[in-house]
Amino acid sequence: MSEAKDSGLTALQAALAAEHAAVYGYGVVGGRVATGRRAQAQAAYDAHRARRDALEREIRDRGARPVAASAAYALPFPVPDAATALRLAAELEERVAGVYSDLVRAVAGERRGTAALALREAAVRAVGWRGESVAFPGLAERAGTSAPTGTDPASAPATAPVTRTP
């Protein structure tokens, strides 16, 4: 397999791992979010499930085995109430946006356009949950932190599926 195809597949697998984590995370969000925001949580959950399923198909079409979802994921903080559920939803979306920014860089053509759309959708959802935006969604530098380098997407926890390179 060529290096470009390998990096594209690695980025697809990382995006799939992030989608698995987001689906799990939205299960927590949906159980804690205020009644008035449940439709928003359900829509995000459905969007991540659809992206997850599409990524699994694409990875299989490339002749590879899609990374499996974990049985459970570590959350970045306790989520005992609606306020922290909103914070978790925003965090999930920001991390998914970061993975899709890597995918945009790793692929070309129609796949790049699809990844850019997924990045934009995650960034818009993050704004909807957090109520504010960042200049460059998906970049670790936006928060003054750096994401881990070389994270194995198959073993990354729900809130840390991001694989970053400088």
Side-chain angles (χ1 to χ4, degrees), residues 8 42 48 75 87 89 99 105 117-118 129 140 142 146-147:
Q42 182 67 51
H48 287 292
L75 299 175
R87 207 170 109 216
V99 172
R105 184 175 55 223
L117 177 62
W129 291 116
R142 76 198 179 310
S146 60

Side-chain angles (χ1 to χ4, degrees):
M1 181 179 303
S2 76
E3 187 176 323
K5 283 187 178 183
D6 186 43
S7 73
L9 182 58
T10 299
L12 283 167
Q13 293 280 23
L16 176 57
E19 292 294 3
H20 284 312
V23 168
Y24 177 89
Y26 270 104
V28 174
V29 170
R32 302 279 193 290
V33 76
T35 304
R37 305 287 299 262
R38 286 203 179 121
Q40 185 180 0
Q42 182 67 51
Y45 175 79
D46 291 343
H48 287 292
R49 286 182 55 208
R51 289 244 181 246
R52 177 202 62 196
D53 294 348
L55 286 164
E56 285 178 337
R57 281 189 301 274
E58 184 170 351
I59 291 167
R60 278 192 194 96
D61 289 348
R62 287 179 173 224
R65 183 174 172 200
V67 64
S70 295
Y73 294 86
L75 299 175
F77 46 81
V79 185
D81 55 28
T84 54
L86 294 178
R87 207 170 109 216
L88 176 60
E91 181 77 15
L92 292 169
E93 296 299 348
E94 288 172 359
R95 290 176 185 248
V96 166
V99 172
Y100 278 110
S101 72
D102 289 342
L103 186 57
V104 167
R105 184 175 55 223
V107 296
E110 185 178 330
R111 168 39 56 203
R112 178 175 281 166
T114 302
L117 177 62
L119 166 59
R120 187 192 72 173
E121 289 172 356
V124 168
R125 279 191 299 267
V127 169
W129 291 116
R130 193 173 304 282
E132 59 186 26
S133 182
V134 296
F136 299 102
L139 297 179
E141 298 82 7
R142 76 198 179 310
T145 62
S146 60
T149 302
T151 303
D152 175 13
S155 64
T159 58
V162 180
T163 302
R164 311 287 297 153
T165 54

